[in-house]
Amino acid sequence: MKKLMVLLLSVFVVASVFAGGSSASSSGGTSTGGGQKYTSLPFVTDGTKLTVYVGEATNNEVTSFDPKDNIFTAKVIKDTGINLEIITGEDSSGLSVLLNTGNYPDVIISSMSYNDLLYYAGQGILRPLDEFNPLSSPNIKAAFDEYPALNQILRGADGKLYALPTVNDCLHCIYSGGRAWYYMPWMRDNNIKQPQTLDEFTSYLRYVKTNDLNKNGKQDEIPIAFDAEGARNFIAYIAKAYLPFVMGNYYGLAVENGKIVEQYKDPRFREALKYLAGIYKEGLILSDSFTMSGDQMRGLAESPDPVVAIEGITWMNSYTTHPSIRGTEKFVLPAIQGPNGQRNASNSDPWSILSAGYMITDKCKDPALAIALYNYFINFEIEMDGYLGPKGTAWDYADPGTSSIIGQASHKILWTFGQTPVNTSWGQGNPMIRNSKFRLGEQATGIDAIQKWYDTGDPSLQQQVLAAPAYKGEALWYITSMQLSKYKMSDSLFIPPMAVNDADNARLADINALLETYKDQAMVEFITGSRNIDNNTDWNTYLSELDRLGAAEMVQIRQKYLK
């Protein structure tokens, strides 16, 4: 049982708003769900209540889910006729507290790990859904047809379906496991080509350290910087020049020839640490990087005079305002080729875009209605309304004859993502099947100029890029991901979802609590010189300590579930 933590809950009863006899046009007037029991909107007109937990929104644009405040909540109620009682948690432990105290609602709308899904299903808290025939609902069936792997992450070892999905087919999220960004003008203005090999990369770092590239008369240029949370990311970026290093749900654990291997024990990983230790000793990595906060990193990334050449971070826009002039000048580094010819992209596992996102508990008296509500949520228009805000003000269908990044446009964004008015949406908290059409079907006005900018860095294009609607949407991320995809690592390297039993799951949690902390500490100590990476005794001590903390046992446990 997970430890209970104090939970601050915001609970309100949402009064149903009925529009007598009305239907919701394309939002689901013929929407079916719940084994065909609820076939049109509104689903109910008798005030039927569902209690719903909604996970915290992913931005600051939602302060209330109350229909008196929130436009999307009011729309859901009006369309469906369901009397919602919404519970939101103010910290990440909220859902665990509800589930472990028994004070949980009918429906949970929140991402849940596979292990947690199996655990709560085993406790009888999460209902199996098969008897209600959810795949008879058209939107749900379409999701499972498009992503068959959903059956791997939503079904238990008994084959039963315990959740409905959230899908975020986000290419730039997939390519986020070990990447870095560079300040493009310093390369462009000094006729330096983008480094392709580790030797070229090192030469550029030394050039930065010894030249006044920002022309402010100070020697304040920093070759590489990242914050403490970004350390794993940058270590992975360099390790990928030596071996196909995995960064994702498992850091440094991969599958080779049907066996789980610990890459952080690999001699090639040791060589990567040697390289990092060498450039750290030369002063090419900011010494504060391993302890620096995100705010401190942002201060460097947005300093009036540019000072950082390479930002060893996953998300450039977490530290540099996007869109902005400075933001346009941050380009993604390519996968670097190492001394043995290795060159591996930052892609993570193919299951990372899929998750359990909508669970129905044993307290729900009408699971068919809850399934119908989910099917309603994942209608395209409803998804967009919950994601950004109302159609016609936040988004709309594409202008006739316009193109997206990948072909014909399906829709256009009217507000800049991250800058929308408060309480017009659920801030990505609503259930969604964001497939590639959803992500990349956006009207891409200005895409040609953006592509040319990232190909050439032509200064005459910068203002045009900044003003282009496509730059505020998916263009930067799509172009970035396509550049990295040239060196995509094989999906076979990644450990698939595993139905681990409760006892083994508990043991793995105990091991990882110590092991992950030790790995982070040891990697930093090898890089900064507290441990000597060239000394065999120090390296062997590291290997022995990993096993003492349970690394070998952890692999043995996982191996028996690998199919």
Side-chain angles (χ1 to χ4, degrees), residues 64-322:
S64 171
F65 289 92
D66 191 311
K68 297 190 298 291
D69 307 316
N70 192 289
I71 291 173
F72 182 65
T73 304
K75 174 181 174 54
V76 174
I77 298 160
K78 181 179 179 180
D79 285 353
T80 66
I82 299 172
N83 179 19
L84 297 177
E85 181 179 294
I86 297 181
I87 303 168
T88 60
E90 294 186 0
D91 58 49
S92 60
S93 67
L95 181 56
S96 296
V97 171
L98 290 175
L99 291 169
N100 288 315
T101 59
N103 188 29
Y104 50 85
D106 300 320
V107 174
I108 296 165
I109 302 176
S110 183
S111 181
M112 182 176 285
S113 73
Y114 189 53
N115 283 341
D116 282 349
L117 182 75
L118 297 180
Y119 174 77
Y120 292 116
Q123 297 295 306
I125 293 173
L126 303 183
R127 296 189 67 140
L129 306 180
D130 306 85
E131 66 181 284
F132 307 103
N133 197 17
L135 268 65
S136 69
S137 303
N139 298 330
I140 299 174
K141 182 179 186 303
F144 278 77
D145 285 347
E146 186 172 4
Y147 298 98
L150 287 171
N151 286 293
Q152 289 180 259
I153 66 163
L154 302 179
R155 294 187 182 275
D158 57 6
K160 294 179 180 179
L161 184 70
Y162 286 100
L164 294 170
T166 288
V167 175
N168 189 8
D169 202 343
C170 165
L171 200 60
H172 55 278
C173 302
I174 293 172
Y175 284 91
S176 64
R179 68 183 174 198
W181 304 80
Y182 69 96
Y183 183 62
M184 178 273 298
W186 285 357
M187 290 192 189
R188 178 195 63 198
D189 298 346
N190 292 282
N191 297 314
I192 298 171
K193 291 183 179 180
Q194 191 184 64
Q196 301 294 320
T197 68
L198 211 53
D199 286 343
E200 292 172 355
F201 180 67
T202 310
S203 295
Y204 178 64
L205 298 177
R206 290 168 178 160
Y207 178 82
V208 171
K209 189 175 188 296
T210 56
N211 286 274
D212 183 19
L213 299 181
N214 58 18
K215 297 180 170 54
N216 65 358
K218 305 174 186 176
Q219 193 59 61
D220 57 355
E221 287 76 7
I222 301 168
I224 301 170
F226 45 86
D227 63 358
E229 289 190 2
R232 276 193 169 203
N233 172 76
F234 188 68
I235 292 169
Y237 175 75
I238 294 300
K240 288 172 182 290
Y242 291 85
L243 73 165
F245 191 80
V246 167
M247 179 178 174
N249 287 333
Y250 305 100
Y251 191 84
L253 281 181
V255 179
E256 295 180 7
N257 300 316
K259 300 293 184 182
I260 295 176
V261 297
E262 297 171 88
Q263 295 179 311
Y264 45 80
K265 291 180 177 180
D266 194 299
R268 294 171 296 176
F269 184 69
R270 183 183 183 185
E271 291 302 311
L273 292 179
K274 286 181 181 180
Y275 172 80
L276 287 163
I279 62 173
Y280 181 88
K281 189 174 182 179
E282 283 190 56
L284 304 179
I285 298 176
L286 180 68
S287 60
D288 292 337
S289 291
F290 296 104
T291 56
M292 193 160 54
S293 69
D295 287 341
Q296 289 171 316
M297 181 64 205
R298 174 177 277 274
L300 291 176
E302 293 198 312
S303 63
D305 290 329
V307 294
V308 181
I310 307 293
E311 296 178 12
I313 54 180
T314 298
W315 297 102
M316 172 273 291
N317 58 318
S318 293
Y319 304 90
T320 302
T321 300
H322 173 74

Side-chain angles (χ1 to χ4, degrees), residues 94 104 147 195 248 339 376 431 449 462 481 496 498 527 532 562:
Y104 50 85
Y147 298 98
Y376 160 86
Q462 190 168 20
S481 301
M498 294 178 168
I527 293 167
N532 185 352
L562 185 65

